[in-house]
Amino acid sequence: MDWLETLVVVVHVVIAVALVGLVLIQQGKGADAGAAFGGGASQTVFGSQGSGSFLTRLTTLLAVVFFVTSFSLAIFAKERAEVAGEAGIPVVQESSEASAPVEMEEGETESGKSSSEDELPELE
């Protein structure tokens, strides 16, 4: 199972880097006005039509794969947490008893010391 998780992490990182690269390669919507004045759109790799359709579809595909790998990594993390709980490793649990007041003995303060210990000795 560890090799599968490692594979998913590697694919996840590669897809993340590819997504960043694809987003940076794509032209914004305002780039069309610059192309009308000789922006050199006919010299692009994707032709004079532009790279919008191809890059948009590729970005969408990579985003879907990124979300699938993110979801699967969350499932792996949940399984590891359940295994850790079964193995005796302490797991943090919330309880309603944490807000309950603690009973103190007579003459004892919140720090656990008696009130006579908190007083300063008198100087003579």
Side-chain angles (χ1 to χ4, degrees):
M1 189 69 157
D2 286 337
W3 66 269
L4 183 62
E5 185 176 359
T6 304
L7 178 69
V8 172
V9 168
V10 169
V11 169
H12 189 72
V13 170
V14 169
I15 295 295
V17 171
L19 270 174
V20 169
L22 276 174
V23 169
L24 291 176
I25 287 174
Q26 294 183 29
Q27 294 180 349
K29 295 291 182 186
D32 294 336
F37 297 106
S42 62
Q43 298 175 358
T44 62
V45 175
F46 303 103
S48 62
Q49 185 70 10
S51 59
S53 176
F54 173 73
L55 289 180
T56 303
R57 288 180 184 165
L58 186 60
T59 304
T60 304
L61 175 70
L62 288 180
V64 168
V65 173
F66 182 80
F67 285 123
V68 168
T69 57
S70 297
F71 187 71
S72 62
L73 287 173
I75 292 172
F76 286 138
K78 183 180 181 209
E79 287 176 0
R80 280 192 183 240
E82 289 173 355
V83 168
E86 293 172 2
I89 298 173
V91 179
V92 177
Q93 295 180 352
E94 295 182 21
S95 67
S96 59
E97 296 176 9
S99 61
V102 177
E103 293 183 24
M104 294 183 284
E105 295 180 14
E106 186 176 326
E108 192 173 292
T109 61
E110 288 183 24
S111 64
K113 299 177 182 176
S114 66
S115 59
S116 63
E117 293 176 26
D118 291 337
E119 297 175 6
L120 295 174
E122 294 181 20
L123 296 175
E124 296 177 16

